Amino acid sequence: MSAAGYPLALAPVAAIGLLTVALRPLATETVAPLRLALVRAALVTGAFAVLTVELLGALGLLTLPAFAVAWLLFLAATGAAAGQRRWRDAARRAAAVAAPRRALVGATTGPTTGAPAPPPAPDAGAPGAAGARRSGWWTGLAEVWRTAGRGERLLAGTVGGLLLVELLIALLAEPNNFDSQTYHLPKVEHWVAQGDLDFWPTAIHRQVTIPPGAEYLLLHLRLFTGGDALHHLVQWAAGVGILLAATRITAQLGGSRRAQLLTAFVLATTPMVALQATSTQTDLVCAAWVACAATLALDGLRRRAGVGTMLGLGAATGLTAVTKTNGLMALGPLLVLWGLAQLRLARGTARERAGAVPDRAGAVGGPDVGHAGGAAAPGGLRPGRQVARTVAGSVLILLVAAVVVGPFLARVTAEFGHPLGPPRLRESVPMERHDPPSVLVNALRIAHTAFDTPLAPLRRAGAEAIVASADLIGVDPQDRATTFGRERFPVPSWYPDEDRVAFPLAGALALIGTGFALARPGRVGPTQAGPLRAYAVVVVVAVLLHTAMVKWQPWGNRLLLYALALAVPLAGLWLDALFRRRSTARDGGAGRRSVAVGLAVTVLATCALAGVLAVSYGFPRRLVGAGSVFTTSEWETRFLRRPQWAEEFRWAAGAVRATDARRIGLVQQNDNWEYPWWLLLRDADGRPPELVALQSVLPGRPPADPASVDAIVCTGSRPACAELVPAGWRVEFRGYVGYALPPGR
């Protein structure tokens, strides 16, 4: 780890802390203002991190000094903004204290007679309230803990304990995710080695075609520390962000403190969330940006959005698009909901203004006064101007999103002639058939994998029913147009693996909560029935879009994380309503409610057990058992997915390093591991090796000439390696890994 850059790894944390102060909402009626400030701070920091990579990459300055200067300037700006905000808050508090005093002096003398007047009544917005606001968030948390019941403390303690254990694993374990070995981490190393974001010849198209937003965040830590020791913290922080945003969504929909804690509990104990929080995958990062967009969009249901909110929605949209495009299937419905709500509020504002302005006779005009024929509304405002403001805000959101994701899309378009990449990518994951029967079968298969359980007979019966139904309506359940690659349905997905694990408990609770929010929202959220139903519609539309656009695949559960994060607040609200109705039941229905509550408590206890088992025995990072982070060496941890490859990579790298080769050719296939070469062939001072591909799937990027390299390392296929080795070179292969050296080396 770089000693000089290590303190800079704290810069993002410091920036978010300062921005939380600077971006704290002013409106006193804001729901969960601290969490809203954290969401705003995360979006600003995330957008800055992405745009910094794009700008410095365009200048060829992806180096530690350049990133250090950028972050120091950003910290200075955020510090100045936080200081200015604190100064303004102090001035506002002083004015609030002075105003009652001036009023008291004037009241004691009287306006004309000097007779004493009674003292003013206490004002909740005067010095007492200001003092309460000065008490700080820590005091507020302490007060919440003091007034919480045992159940609430148990929920909060479980969530906090899981987060701390996940943080421990994230810090102790080395990256060992399969996709990260293939393309997530190699792309970061390529950027560091070449100093820019230009595409490179490669046999693994995902290194350049998959959106790189999460890897942009990893690049900062890579340059700061000189290694990957802190890489897991990006997903861990995203997991924390999801909990903050989801609980605020629950509060916005009328949820009590208990409902918010239930939401956090169900999400935190979901095995997929717990396992990905210690990973270098990208699904939690995508889900976090979607959740941030959702909580900002919900604010727009109650009040007209300001420019700051529009900028935040634009940043969330752009960050989602540059991280993982499947999250856009939720962003679209969320932005439509926000736009419709803003238009409704604009019409309401026009009516209110019309009804509040006196007419010529001095009477109050009706709601239509001044509106006939498109004339100006009272107060000089036209209804059309309010609508135009909403349209302009929508355009601003799209423009901000384009600024964030646009540079990457421009590079992809220039390289492949299409913003979504080459045909190989566009045909592998997206659905190629959209007829209703095919979409239905795809949805059933996705649901079967997402709700999988350890009960093999249940899994088998469900799969057989889906296959039989597909045959009945004339759909092939293994159709390549609706199935990823050469995979075959069904597959077991109940076991705690970060790439596959199902979420039957959280999914069932979310499904029930969504159903009640649609059918009987008044029972779930009596004060927010309309917004609750509208939000549930957004969740349903997002899931339907996902099943209509994404092929079934064995690891598809992790692609649904963003939808799960949006749906779980509805589960928290329903559970809270269930417990609330149980405590107030007095009639004969109390027995049935007791049974329902008992089942809910059992499900929650099972959720807790599932979360604990996931962090304890989950794969490929765990606390106990074979492969424990406490008993497994660094190199063994990296190869827990494929233990037999560990020594093979070392053997080949050792032979190449012994020849002092500098320019090394790569021979590999689309799903092979490249990242170990970047670790093993690095110089003693940490300088990356010069690795060049001898194959390329990019038409405009020809591979290197095998005769131009000092050595060749190969993975996967020995025949493919032998075809590219120049005549007379010595080829050695051991299982999965091989190398080739020229004569005399």
Side-chain angles (χ1 to χ4, degrees), residues 432-608:
E432 299 176 76
R433 291 184 57 178
H434 299 93
D435 55 288
S438 295
V439 172
L440 174 61
V441 172
N442 192 55
L444 291 174
R445 293 184 301 169
I446 289 174
H448 181 273
T449 305
F451 287 86
D452 191 20
T453 71
L455 303 175
L458 181 62
R459 180 191 314 118
R460 186 164 50 252
E464 290 173 354
I466 292 173
V467 171
S469 300
D471 292 338
L472 186 64
I473 60 178
V475 175
D476 179 5
Q478 315 299 345
D479 186 357
R480 296 303 101 191
T482 62
T483 306
F484 181 86
R486 300 178 180 178
E487 305 298 330
R488 294 189 62 82
F489 172 83
V491 295
S493 60
W494 61 267
Y495 53 92
D497 183 293
E498 65 175 356
D499 287 333
R500 298 192 178 208
V501 63
F503 36 82
L505 298 175
L509 291 173
L511 187 63
I512 295 172
T514 302
F516 271 91
L518 289 171
R520 307 187 69 176
R523 294 187 62 176
V524 178
T527 63
Q528 299 290 337
L532 187 61
R533 176 174 282 164
Y535 182 78
V537 169
V538 167
V539 172
V540 171
V541 170
V543 173
L544 291 178
L545 286 174
H546 186 99
T547 58
M549 300 296 292
V550 179
K551 293 178 179 178
W552 174 87
Q553 49 195 284
W555 43 88
N557 290 340
R558 61 183 180 82
L559 303 183
L560 278 169
L561 262 184
Y562 73 93
L564 182 70
L566 290 184
V568 166
L570 300 176
L573 288 164
W574 173 72
L575 287 168
D576 181 60
L578 185 66
F579 293 138
R580 184 175 63 249
R581 290 178 64 83
R582 168 66 180 85
S583 63
T584 59
R586 297 189 182 91
D587 53 22
R592 292 192 301 272
R593 295 192 186 99
S594 296
V595 173
V597 169
L599 290 174
V601 171
T602 302
V603 170
L604 290 175
T606 308
C607 285

Side-chain angles (χ1 to χ4, degrees), residues 14-39:
I16 289 176
L18 292 169
L19 285 170
T20 299
V21 175
L23 300 177
R24 194 169 62 251
L26 290 173
T28 56
E29 71 276 9
T30 301
V31 176
L34 177 59
R35 277 172 277 175
L36 175 57
L38 284 167
V39 166

Side-chain angles (χ1 to χ4, degrees), residues 294-661:
T295 191
L296 293 179
L298 283 179
D299 280 337
L301 301 188
R302 298 176 179 84
R303 61 175 181 268
R304 296 289 290 160
V307 174
T309 298
M310 297 173 189
L311 292 175
L313 283 170
T317 303
L319 289 169
T320 301
V322 82
T323 301
K324 214 173 186 71
T325 52
N326 59 311
L328 294 177
M329 285 176 277
L331 259 296
L334 283 170
L335 292 179
V336 169
L337 174 65
W338 176 86
L340 293 176
Q342 291 294 291
L343 290 174
R344 181 182 59 82
L345 290 173
R347 293 173 57 191
T349 300
R351 293 196 193 97
E352 290 170 6
R353 288 179 179 275
V357 176
D359 59 18
R360 292 181 180 180
V364 176
D368 295 328
V369 174
H371 285 246
L381 292 177
R382 296 175 183 271
R385 291 183 61 185
Q386 295 285 350
V387 174
R389 183 176 181 271
T390 300
V391 173
S394 302
V395 173
L396 177 61
I397 291 171
L398 296 179
L399 286 176
V400 173
V403 169
V404 176
V405 71
F408 169 71
L409 293 181
R411 288 194 300 275
V412 173
T413 304
E415 190 74 29
F416 301 104
H418 196 288
L420 298 181
R424 180 175 185 177
L425 177 63
R426 302 198 303 271
E427 297 169 1
S428 60
V429 176
M431 286 272 286
E432 299 176 76
R433 291 184 57 178
H434 299 93
D435 55 288
S438 295
V439 172
L440 174 61
V441 172
N442 192 55
L444 291 174
R445 293 184 301 169
I446 289 174
H448 181 273
T449 305
F451 287 86
D452 191 20
T453 71
L455 303 175
L458 181 62
R459 180 191 314 118
R460 186 164 50 252
E464 290 173 354
I466 292 173
V467 171
S469 300
D471 292 338
L472 186 64
I473 60 178
V475 175
D476 179 5
Q478 315 299 345
D479 186 357
R480 296 303 101 191
T482 62
T483 306
F484 181 86
R486 300 178 180 178
E487 305 298 330
R488 294 189 62 82
F489 172 83
V491 295
S493 60
W494 61 267
Y495 53 92
D497 183 293
E498 65 175 356
D499 287 333
R500 298 192 178 208
V501 63
F503 36 82
L505 298 175
L509 291 173
L511 187 63
I512 295 172
T514 302
F516 271 91
L518 289 171
R520 307 187 69 176
R523 294 187 62 176
V524 178
T527 63
Q528 299 290 337
L532 187 61
R533 176 174 282 164
Y535 182 78
V537 169
V538 167
V539 172
V540 171
V541 170
V543 173
L544 291 178
L545 286 174
H546 186 99
T547 58
M549 300 296 292
V550 179
K551 293 178 179 178
W552 174 87
Q553 49 195 284
W555 43 88
N557 290 340
R558 61 183 180 82
L559 303 183
L560 278 169
L561 262 184
Y562 73 93
L564 182 70
L566 290 184
V568 166
L570 300 176
L573 288 164
W574 173 72
L575 287 168
D576 181 60
L578 185 66
F579 293 138
R580 184 175 63 249
R581 290 178 64 83
R582 168 66 180 85
S583 63
T584 59
R586 297 189 182 91
D587 53 22
R592 292 192 301 272
R593 295 192 186 99
S594 296
V595 173
V597 169
L599 290 174
V601 171
T602 302
V603 170
L604 290 175
T606 308
C607 285
L609 179 61
V612 171
L613 290 176
V615 297
S616 300
Y617 295 97
F619 193 75
R621 292 165 303 280
R622 57 177 51 162
L623 283 178
V624 297
S628 166
V629 294
F630 297 116
T631 60
T632 309
S633 68
E634 172 191 345
W635 197 246
E636 290 174 334
T637 299
R638 294 184 184 277
F639 283 85
L640 281 175
R641 285 284 187 189
R642 298 291 186 272
Q644 68 275 20
W645 294 350
E647 286 307 313
E648 295 175 7
F649 270 97
R650 274 185 164 174
W651 161 76
V656 171
R657 287 178 62 88
T659 65
D660 294 324

Side-chain angles (χ1 to χ4, degrees), residues 20-337:
T20 299
V21 175
L23 300 177
R24 194 169 62 251
L26 290 173
T28 56
E29 71 276 9
T30 301
V31 176
L34 177 59
R35 277 172 277 175
L36 175 57
L38 284 167
V39 166
R40 291 171 171 176
L43 288 172
V44 172
T45 305
F48 167 79
V50 168
L51 293 177
T52 296
V53 173
E54 290 288 1
L55 177 60
L56 295 180
L59 298 174
L61 292 175
L62 298 183
T63 61
L64 174 58
F67 274 63
V69 170
W71 275 101
L72 291 175
L73 291 174
F74 187 62
L75 285 176
T78 57
Q84 186 179 36
R85 176 59 188 273
R86 290 180 66 87
W87 179 82
R88 288 182 177 179
D89 287 348
R92 191 177 296 111
R93 287 194 296 266
V97 171
R101 290 178 178 173
R102 289 194 299 268
L104 180 61
V105 171
T108 55
T109 59
T112 55
T113 63
D123 185 359
R133 287 193 295 270
R134 286 197 301 268
S135 61
W137 63 271
W138 182 256
T139 304
L141 287 178
E143 178 65 16
V144 168
W145 183 261
R146 187 185 66 81
T147 58
R150 285 183 296 178
E152 293 177 341
R153 290 185 179 184
L154 181 61
L155 293 172
T158 302
V159 172
L162 284 174
L163 288 176
L164 289 176
V165 173
E166 290 161 10
L167 177 60
L168 177 65
I169 297 174
L171 291 172
L172 291 179
E174 286 72 30
N176 58 4
N177 173 262
F178 196 103
D179 284 348
S180 297
Q181 306 276 16
T182 300
Y183 68 96
H184 288 311
L185 300 186
K187 73 170 65 172
V188 175
E189 297 300 325
H190 277 285
W191 295 332
V192 174
Q194 62 191 30
D196 57 41
L197 298 174
D198 286 346
F199 292 162
W200 53 89
T202 179
I204 304 173
H205 76 87
R206 292 175 294 173
Q207 292 182 358
V208 296
T209 57
I210 298 293
E215 291 89 340
Y216 282 173
L217 305 182
L218 292 177
L219 176 61
H220 292 263
L221 295 178
R222 167 65 176 86
L223 290 172
F224 291 159
T225 65
D228 57 19
L230 300 183
H231 278 10
H232 288 149
L233 295 186
V234 171
Q235 282 260 109
W236 182 84
V240 174
I242 289 174
L243 295 181
L244 293 173
T247 54
R248 185 170 188 266
I249 290 170
T250 306
Q252 289 172 288
L253 295 174
S256 64
R257 182 172 65 189
R258 181 174 60 186
Q260 297 171 53
L261 287 172
L262 285 167
T263 296
F265 178 86
V266 173
L267 259 182
T269 56
T270 301
M272 179 65 78
V273 175
L275 290 170
Q276 286 233 1
T278 65
S279 171
T280 45
Q281 271 287 12
T282 62
D283 304 285
L284 277 184
V285 178
C286 173
W289 299 136
V290 171
C292 288
T295 191
L296 293 179
L298 283 179
D299 280 337
L301 301 188
R302 298 176 179 84
R303 61 175 181 268
R304 296 289 290 160
V307 174
T309 298
M310 297 173 189
L311 292 175
L313 283 170
T317 303
L319 289 169
T320 301
V322 82
T323 301
K324 214 173 186 71
T325 52
N326 59 311
L328 294 177
M329 285 176 277
L331 259 296
L334 283 170
L335 292 179
V336 169
L337 174 65

